[in-house]
């Protein structure tokens, strides 16, 4: 029943309305109907002089019901609900008890006043779903906190904390304890004229130069997602043509974008990301406790993993082979935390607290007290086997032992060691303290509890976990190998590296395949190919080998697929590379930017289909999550599997 979705309690002339639509009080059709009915009833009730609106549980309103986006809009629409609140004769006070997101934020903006719990936050994250606010967010927020601040929040999907809301004037008060009592007291104290509704407040146009700079900045950050620029256009319209014109353009744009491929892709990812941490096969399985975690190796990967653990508040024991190596690893950790302070992720005191969570040790003996140990040493099978053989003697059978290998067979790493149910591969991506993907690779004997612990760790670290089967490169690196090979095949058709990289940037990648190789170093993959050749495998010579033999190892050498000026990371097309590649060019075949992207993304999707057929990935969505979170595939394209499926349906 709709009355159950919006509960009413009267307190001496003040009505408290509580939206109760678990789990996030989404503003679906029935909830909107209940709100419209409540507004009409309250307007007709002469015994009520003010209304306090809040949400049940820990969320004010988590936004619209996204499942409705694939259906035609049904009245009453959210803009109608908010307009009715704004036009009410009685003041409405939003008592924001938790997250007010999307439509929930717009609902709060339409109220006369706002009282926020100190833990509350307000955000308009619609551009992350390929749409823009559709119920006045682009018009009311600028009129409440200013155009520049509102652009930052709306186009970037940034959250506003309770303190920031209070400082900006968005919140009329904060409540540390009893939010409803604070809101009731505030309502009782309202005398005289009410604050002007946001819709009627003036908005000064900052001028053409301001808008030009904003467009350039947002276009660069959006990487092809049309929603941020569309949101800016709606804000601009409201600032230059008035509220009515702005709200009209906002609604037209919202309805148009929600039918777009980009919005469909981002909705698909929204549901995939929500499902990823909770695989059905692990329901009812209790993960092992994680009171202390060991990390073996203080190199780039090991220090990054240790930093990610410490950032999540987990005590870490970092093991190295010598005091000198340990000191270097701890210095890397300190540098990571210092960089986070510089970027404003936390303050110096928090950095000190994080480094205090990490205990360094030489050798493996002190890892016996750990619940989980993650090995992150050099990619050498003999070295890794030696580490795990020693760990098996140091740690008890209840300790979970994980390898972070990228390419080696984890089954070979732990072959013949006791208690095989505790072994697993946890493939982090570099830099591990930043990258959100975690490939979880169970071995043949891995126990359900060990798997569940891997997923629990991902949740604790805020990472997206994906189960991957055991094959060379697992899911992500296997697709990467095909992608790079296909890019090099385009070189044989006379297409230069800069054109290929430019095409992938146009598609939405942050960088193309050759720029990426230059950044990571061409010698890494070269050594793997040389090792395969030494073992008798028939690995053909490829253009990348020629570059490495010529001393062109990438940015670190000042030369790779591109030239680099001293101290610069700006890639410059190279005549030397053109000469080295000339013997590989078999034919000159013109291909435009879109054609290049179609070819390479098609190769990625084709390899994905093979991975699915072999059971290496459990679903197309898992492959897309790997590519999005591990390899920079543009979010608004949905991943290679979704993108190519959509193209086939078109």
């Amino acid at each position: 029943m709709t009355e159950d979705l919006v509960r009413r309690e009267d307190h001496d002339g003040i009505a408290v309305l509580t939206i109760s639509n678990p789990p996030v009080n989404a503003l679906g059709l029935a909830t909107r109907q209940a709100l419209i009915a409540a507004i009409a009833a309250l307007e007709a009730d002469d015994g009520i002089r003010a209304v306090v609106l809040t949400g049940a549980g820990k969320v004010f309103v988590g936004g619209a019901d996204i499942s409705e986006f694939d259906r035609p809009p049904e009245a009453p629409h959210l803009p109608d609900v908010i307009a009715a609140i704004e036009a009410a004769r009685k003041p409405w006070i939003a008592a924001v008890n938790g997250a007010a997101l999307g439509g929930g934020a717009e609902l709060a903006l339409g109220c006369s006043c706002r009282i926020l719990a100190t833990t509350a936050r307000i955000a308009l994250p619609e551009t992350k779903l390929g749409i823009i606010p559709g119920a006045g967010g682009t018009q009311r927020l600028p009129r409440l906190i200013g155009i520049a601040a509102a652009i930052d929040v709306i186009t970037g999907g940034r959250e506003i904390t309770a303190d920031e809301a209070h400082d900006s004037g968005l919140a009329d008060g904060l409540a540390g304890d009893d939010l409803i009592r604070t809101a009731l007291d505030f309502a009782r104290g309202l005398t005289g004229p009410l604050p002007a509704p946001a819709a009627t407040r003036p908005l000064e146009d900052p001028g053409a130069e301001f808008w030009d700079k904003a467009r350039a900045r947002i276009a660069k950050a959006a990487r092809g997602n049309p929603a941020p620029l569309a949101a800016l256009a709606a804000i601009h319209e409201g600032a230059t043509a008035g509220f009515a014109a702005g709200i009209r353009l906002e609604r037209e744009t919202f309805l148009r974008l929600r039918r777009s491929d980009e919005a469909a892709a981002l909705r698909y990812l929204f549901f995939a990301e929500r499902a990823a941490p909770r695989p059905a096969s692990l329901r009812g399985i209790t993960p092992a406790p994680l009171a202390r975690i060991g990390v073996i190796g203080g190199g780039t990967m090991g220090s990054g993993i240790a930093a990610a653990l410490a950032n999540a508040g987990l005590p870490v024991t970092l093991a190295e082979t010598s005091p000198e190596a340990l000191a270097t690893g701890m210095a890397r950790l300190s540098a990571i935390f210092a960089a986070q302070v510089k970027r404003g992720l936390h303050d110096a005191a928090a950095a000190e607290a994080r480094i205090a969570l990490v205990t360094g040790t030489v050798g493996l003996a002190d890892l016996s007290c750990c619940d989980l140990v993650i090995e992150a040493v050099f990619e050498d099978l003999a070295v890794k086997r030696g580490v795990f053989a020693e760990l098996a003697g140091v740690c008890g059978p209840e300790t979970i032992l994980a390898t972070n290998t990228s390419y080696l067979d984890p089954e070979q790493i732990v072959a013949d060691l006791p208690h095989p149910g505790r072994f697993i591969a946890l493939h982090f991506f570099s830099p591990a303290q930043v990258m959100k993907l975690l490939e979880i690779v169970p071995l043949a004997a891995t126990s359900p509890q060990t798997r569940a612990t891997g997923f629990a760790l991902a949740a604790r670290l805020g990472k997206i976990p994906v189960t991957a089967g055991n094959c060379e490169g697992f899911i992500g690196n296997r697709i990467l190998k095909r992608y790079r090979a296909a890019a090099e095949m385009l070189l044989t058709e006379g297409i230069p590296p800069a054109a290929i990289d430019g095409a992938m940037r146009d598609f939405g990648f942050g960088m193309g395949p050759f720029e990426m190789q230059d950044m990571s170093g061409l010698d890494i993959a070269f050594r793997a190919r040389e090792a395969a050749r030494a073992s008798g495998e028939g690995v053909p010579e490829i253009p990348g080998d020629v570059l490495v033999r010529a001393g062109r190892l990438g940015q670190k050498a000042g030369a790779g697929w591109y030239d680099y000026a001293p101290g610069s990371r700006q890639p410059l097309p190279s005549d030397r590379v053109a000469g080295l590649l000339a013997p590989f060019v078999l034919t000159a075949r013109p291909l435009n930017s879109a054609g290049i992207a179609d070819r390479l993304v098609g190769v990625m999707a084709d390899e994905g289909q093979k991975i699915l057929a072999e059971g290496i990935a459990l679903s197309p969505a898992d492959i897309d999550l790997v590519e999005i979170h591990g390899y920079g595939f543009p979010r608004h394209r949905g991943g290679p599997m979704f993108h190519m499926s959509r193209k086939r349906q078109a």
Side-chain angles (χ1 to χ4, degrees):
M1 304 233 355
T2 57
E3 56 263 31
D4 296 330
L5 295 173
V6 178
R7 303 194 304 265
R8 172 177 168 178
E9 293 181 2
D10 292 351
H11 298 260
D12 298 325
I14 300 173
V16 175
L17 289 188
T18 302
I19 300 172
S20 181
N21 183 20
V24 297
N25 301 327
L27 295 170
L29 175 62
T31 304
R32 299 195 301 274
Q33 290 172 334
L35 282 168
I36 284 288
I39 294 166
L42 289 163
E43 281 291 277
D45 190 337
D46 292 335
I48 295 298
R49 64 180 185 274
V51 182
V52 171
L53 179 65
T54 192
K58 297 181 179 180
V59 176
F60 178 69
V61 170
D65 183 346
I66 294 180
S67 65
E68 293 184 355
F69 282 20
D70 292 319
R71 306 196 299 268
E74 296 181 79
H77 308 297
L78 185 56
D80 302 329
V81 175
I82 295 171
I85 290 174
E86 201 167 46
R89 294 180 295 111
K90 302 163 185 180
W92 280 63
I93 298 93
V96 183
N97 53 304
L101 308 179
E106 292 174 299
L107 191 63
L109 296 177
C111 291
S112 309
C113 306
R114 286 153 291 280
I115 306 296
L116 271 60
T118 54
T119 55
R121 63 191 195 279
I122 293 176
L124 293 165
E126 284 88 348
T127 59
K128 294 181 178 180
L129 290 173
I131 56 177
I132 71 169
T138 66
Q139 304 307 306
R140 291 187 176 91
L141 188 64
R143 287 167 169 79
L144 290 169
I145 67 171
I147 288 177
I151 287 173
D152 182 35
V153 170
I154 294 170
T155 66
R158 185 178 68 79
E159 290 185 348
I160 302 173
T161 65
D163 286 339
E164 183 183 354
H166 187 258
D167 292 343
S168 68
L170 180 60
D172 298 275
L174 300 181
D177 296 318
D178 193 333
L179 173 66
I180 299 304
R181 180 167 296 279
T182 301
L184 286 169
D185 290 343
F186 180 86
R188 293 187 185 105
L190 286 174
T191 59
L194 292 176
T200 65
R201 297 191 186 188
L203 195 59
E204 184 177 349
D205 179 7
E209 183 179 357
F210 171 89
W211 296 109
D212 289 343
K213 288 181 178 179
R215 287 187 196 95
R217 182 180 71 252
I218 291 165
K220 182 177 180 180
R223 290 184 181 175
N225 178 2
L229 280 175
L232 180 68
I235 298 170
H236 176 265
E237 181 76 0
T240 57
F243 182 87
I247 206 87
R248 184 167 54 251
L249 178 61
E250 177 197 80
R251 190 65 182 174
E252 291 170 355
T253 304
F254 167 80
L255 293 173
R256 172 175 57 81
L257 287 180
R258 82 178 209 160
R259 299 189 299 268
S260 68
D261 287 343
E262 292 85 358
L266 290 165
R267 287 198 299 274
Y268 160 81
L269 286 176
F270 173 83
F271 290 114
E273 288 166 346
R274 286 181 64 184
R278 303 181 296 274
S281 61
L282 293 178
R283 286 177 189 156
I285 305 298
T286 302
L290 295 174
R292 176 168 287 273
I293 298 178
V295 176
I296 304 175
T300 300
M301 180 58 76
S303 60
I305 294 172
L309 296 167
N311 280 334
L314 288 163
V316 181
T317 299
L318 179 65
E320 258 295 358
T321 56
S322 69
E324 294 78 15
L326 180 60
T328 301
M330 294 299 288
R332 284 195 183 97
L333 265 177
S334 295
I336 289 172
F337 296 135
Q340 291 174 348
V341 171
K342 188 174 181 180
R343 288 161 52 202
L345 300 179
H346 53 74
D347 59 21
E352 291 178 10
R354 284 162 166 76
I355 201 71
L357 285 169
V358 183
T359 302
T361 187
V362 175
L364 305 184
D366 288 342
L367 300 178
S368 61
C369 64
C370 294
D371 302 302
L372 164 68
V373 178
I374 303 169
E375 165 273 309
V377 303
F378 187 69
E379 283 284 278
D380 181 279
L381 181 60
V383 173
K384 289 181 184 287
R385 279 187 57 82
V387 167
F388 276 90
E390 187 175 349
L391 277 176
V394 167
C395 299
E398 71 286 350
T399 303
I400 295 173
L401 304 179
T403 176
N404 180 60
T405 185
S406 299
Y407 286 100
L408 298 175
D409 182 354
E411 296 280 7
Q412 293 185 34
I413 293 172
V414 302
D416 303 321
L417 294 178
H419 311 294
R422 61 176 172 167
F423 295 113
I424 195 168
L426 298 177
H427 182 210
F428 290 79
F429 286 71
S430 185
Q433 74 277 12
V434 175
M435 299 295 286
K436 291 191 68 174
L437 178 65
L438 179 63
E439 282 185 315
I440 296 177
V441 187
L443 310 191
T446 299
S447 72
Q449 185 186 49
T450 298
R451 283 185 60 217
T453 305
F455 277 86
L457 176 66
R460 184 74 180 268
L461 301 183
K463 294 189 180 294
I464 298 292
V466 172
T467 298
N470 184 17
C471 67
E472 182 186 2
F474 311 133
I475 296 173
N477 281 340
R478 175 168 161 178
I479 291 176
L480 178 64
K481 185 176 180 180
R482 277 287 310 277
Y483 171 57
R484 287 182 170 176
E488 293 199 13
M489 183 60 68
L490 289 173
L491 298 176
T492 69
E493 298 176 22
I495 302 172
I500 298 168
D501 286 340
M504 300 317 289
R505 289 196 306 275
D506 290 345
F507 184 77
F509 278 86
M511 62 178 66
F514 299 107
E515 293 168 316
M516 187 188 304
Q517 287 183 56
D518 270 6
M519 185 179 70
S520 60
L522 277 68
D523 51 323
I524 299 172
F526 172 77
R527 286 198 300 268
R529 292 190 294 271
E530 287 290 89
R533 290 166 182 141
S535 65
E537 295 184 37
V539 179
E541 188 88 350
I542 63 174
D545 296 332
V546 175
L547 266 64
V548 173
R549 296 189 203 285
R552 303 182 68 90
L553 308 183
Q555 288 182 5
K556 60 189 174 185
W561 292 102
Y562 297 92
D563 291 335
Y564 298 89
S568 172
R569 294 188 175 186
Q570 177 65 36
L572 304 170
S574 171
D575 292 338
R576 173 66 172 146
V577 169
L580 291 170
L581 294 180
F584 290 91
V585 177
L586 303 177
T587 182
R589 184 178 303 170
L591 199 59
N592 63 20
S593 179
I596 292 169
D598 281 349
R599 173 90 68 88
L600 295 184
V601 175
V603 165
M604 296 168 75
D606 178 69
E607 191 65 21
Q609 289 292 348
K610 294 175 183 176
I611 286 170
L612 282 171
E614 295 169 20
I616 300 301
L618 301 180
S619 70
D622 280 351
I623 294 172
D624 287 332
L625 289 176
V626 166
E627 293 304 311
I628 293 285
H629 291 289
Y631 297 87
F633 199 97
R635 284 186 65 84
H636 67 280
R637 304 283 190 178
M641 308 305 288
F642 178 89
H643 179 72
M644 295 308 295
S645 172
R646 194 87 173 178
K647 281 185 69 71
R648 286 192 291 270
Q649 294 171 13

